[in-house]
Amino acid sequence: DADVTQTPRNRITKTGKRIMLECSQTKGHDRMYWYRQDPGLGLRLIYYSFDVKDINKGEISDGYSVSRQAQAKFSLSLESAIPNQTALYFCATSDPGLAGGQFTDTQYFGPGTRLTVL
Amino acid sequence: AQKVTQAQTEISVVEKEDVTLDCVYETRDTTYYLFWYKQPPSGELVFLIRRNSFDEQNEISGRYSWNFQKSTSSFNFTITASQVVDSAVYFCALNSGANSKLTFGKGITLSVRP
């Protein structure tokens, strides 16, 4: 089974609808992230959480909200979807530990959710 | 502020050619971490390598090699004897400071033709 899963994998919705994207992980990592990917723009950070009581805005948080229900679950909501939120959304996890004296806060990504807002 | 520049947007090569993907970064931090990720046509993001700022050793993994040069703020990725399966978008990313946020470049689309 995949370590980081995202549901749904694809979603088509209409302007104004509320949408929730879910992310679950079995890696035991404390840190979780939501990114969106747009063609030619790379990945941009929406929100991140370093533990269940910690939520932080990223560079493009407007129009989005998140919920960290447990260490393993981090959901992204679009309260009222608009067409320019059409994108590929990724969840990622990381663990800021040290291994062999080296920093290991590598982010591991889920398979992505392709969201289309009509 | 941190920034990653991948000046090449698309590269097309014929199978078995060597290809180098360039990455230039900017950061004021003295401790930072550089990453490469691969995004094949299926869409997932696959972690390839992490390099710490205090370790300038080059790394080789099979047909892949990475050249980290602090003097030029570059972390370039070379694929030797490219294969069709190497066709993907490749992202370079930078993590500096204590907040663990990754800054991504815009990606390089590599097409390897048979």
Side-chain angles (χ1 to χ4, degrees), chain A residues 42-112:
Chain A
L43 276 79
R44 293 180 291 167
L45 183 64
I46 306 172
Y47 271 95
Y48 62 102
S49 168
F50 284 176
D51 64 45
V52 292
K53 297 181 182 179
D54 176 76
I55 300 289
N56 304 280
K57 292 182 178 181
E59 60 180 298
I60 54 164
S61 58
D62 286 350
Y64 301 95
S65 62
V66 291
S67 172
R68 185 79 185 268
Q69 301 95 324
Q71 185 205 37
K73 296 184 182 297
F74 192 36
S75 300
L76 176 72
S77 293
L78 289 67
E79 297 301 326
S80 179
I82 56 177
N84 76 1
Q85 291 177 312
T86 293
L88 184 57
Y89 289 84
F90 286 101
C91 173
T93 75
S94 71
D95 178 7
L98 286 175
Q102 289 205 357
F103 175 72
T104 63
D105 199 13
T106 298
Q107 292 187 23
Y108 296 92
F109 287 79

Side-chain angles (χ1 to χ4, degrees), chain A residues 11-19 78 81-82 86 115-118:
Chain A
R11 181 73 184 267
I12 300 173
T13 191
K14 294 182 179 179
T15 298
K17 294 291 188 181
R18 184 177 188 275
I19 296 296
L78 289 67
I82 56 177
T86 293
L115 176 66
T116 303
V117 183
L118 302 176

Side-chain angles (χ1 to χ4, degrees), chain B residues 1-47:
Chain B
Q2 51 191 46
K3 183 179 179 182
V4 175
T5 301
Q6 296 181 262
Q8 305 152 310
T9 53
E10 296 185 16
I11 300 175
S12 181
V13 300
V14 176
E15 205 169 20
K16 298 184 182 177
E17 284 185 27
D18 298 347
V19 57
T20 296
L21 311 181
D22 297 333
C23 174
V24 173
Y25 62 92
E26 295 176 29
T27 179
R28 295 195 181 107
D29 293 299
T30 55
T31 299
Y32 52 89
Y33 309 89
L34 293 160
F35 302 80
W36 276 94
Y37 287 86
K38 174 183 180 180
Q39 186 177 38
S42 51
E44 72 272 23
L45 276 165
V46 179
F47 164 70

Side-chain angles (χ1 to χ4, degrees), chain B residues 26-82:
Chain B
E26 295 176 29
T27 179
R28 295 195 181 107
D29 293 299
T30 55
T31 299
Y32 52 89
Y33 309 89
L34 293 160
F35 302 80
W36 276 94
Y37 287 86
K38 174 183 180 180
Q39 186 177 38
S42 51
E44 72 272 23
L45 276 165
V46 179
F47 164 70
L48 294 178
I49 190 171
R50 177 190 67 250
R51 176 59 67 212
N52 304 330
S53 56
F54 44 85
D55 180 2
E56 280 195 80
Q57 279 189 327
N58 291 330
E59 177 134 351
I60 298 175
S61 176
R63 296 184 298 106
Y64 295 173
S65 62
W66 290 269
N67 182 291
F68 175 33
Q69 291 196 332
K70 290 177 75 170
S71 61
T72 56
S73 297
S74 64
F75 185 43
N76 296 336
F77 174 25
T78 296
I79 301 174
T80 301
S82 59

